Amino acid sequence: MADAVKTTWKRLSDPLRIVGVTDGTANSIRILIVDAHIKASSLLETRLRTSGYSRTRVAYSAHAALAIAEEFDPSVVLIELNLLDMSGYELARLLRERGPGSDMRLMAMTSSREQAGPELAHVRGFERYLIKPVVDFGFLNGSQES
C-alpha cells in the first residue's frame, strides 16, 4: 500500500538545508509523535526507528506532548489532528508559543480525507499534511515530494 502523503507547500525559510540535522545523520533529528491511538503511534515510532530515526518520543495526549516537548525539544512534531484532550491545531499553537525562536517543524497527521484539510493545516502553521498510515519519511529531510 502506497503512502498517501500530500505536500502542497514548502517553508521558504529552509529551502536547502536538511532540517534538524546537525551532524549529517537522521540520528540528530528529534521526533515527537502525538497520537492518542497507541497501536498506530507505536507502529509509526517503530517505522521511524528502523529507518534510522532513533531519537523519538511518543505522547498519547496534547498535554503529555507539551510536557515532553519542554524537556525533549523536538525538531519535528507529528501531530494527529483529532486528539482527545484538545485539537491538533490548538496543540500546534501552544507549541509555537512555547518555543517561538525554535526551528521546530510541525506536521499534521490524520486518517481523514477531508477536502479542506491541507489548506486549513497550512493556515494553522503545519508544513505538511500527512494521511495515515505514514510510511515514507522523505519529508523529514526536506524533500519536496513525499
Side-chain angles (χ1 to χ4, degrees):
M1 175 183 208
D3 186 17
V5 176
K6 182 174 180 178
T7 303
T8 56
W9 60 87
K10 176 180 175 259
R11 187 166 80 175
L12 297 177
S13 62
D14 278 332
L16 298 174
R17 73 184 177 99
I18 297 176
V19 179
V21 175
T22 56
D23 64 4
T25 67
N27 258 343
S28 63
I29 299 175
R30 295 172 314 283
I31 303 169
L32 175 58
I33 302 162
V34 187
D35 193 341
H37 192 273
I38 294 170
K39 205 175 209 180
S41 54
S42 295
L43 181 59
L44 179 56
E45 183 179 34
T46 299
R47 285 181 177 159
L48 283 164
R49 286 178 180 258
T50 58
S51 296
Y53 299 95
S54 63
R55 298 178 68 190
T56 61
R57 299 287 186 279
V58 177
Y60 302 112
S61 71
H63 289 94
L66 291 169
I68 291 169
E70 193 76 29
E71 180 182 323
F72 183 55
D73 189 28
S75 42
V76 176
V77 185
L78 302 170
I79 302 173
E80 165 60 53
L81 294 176
N82 299 311
L83 297 170
L84 300 175
D85 56 343
M86 75 175 69
S87 77
Y89 299 115
E90 180 67 12
L91 174 58
R93 184 186 66 75
L94 292 171
L95 286 169
R96 288 276 187 228
E97 285 177 1
R98 288 184 176 201
S102 77
D103 283 338
M104 183 185 331
R105 301 173 66 204
L106 302 177
M107 312 289 174
M109 295 188 307
T110 185
S111 47
S112 168
R113 300 212 182 261
E114 181 183 325
Q115 289 293 74
E119 291 77 18
L120 180 58
H122 176 64
V123 168
R124 298 283 184 98
F126 288 97
E127 289 183 35
R128 302 281 193 276
Y129 186 81
L130 308 171
I131 304 294
K132 296 191 314 187
V134 179
V135 295
D136 179 11
F137 305 113
F139 64 89
L140 292 172
N141 293 322
S143 296
Q144 293 295 0
E145 296 297 320
S146 301

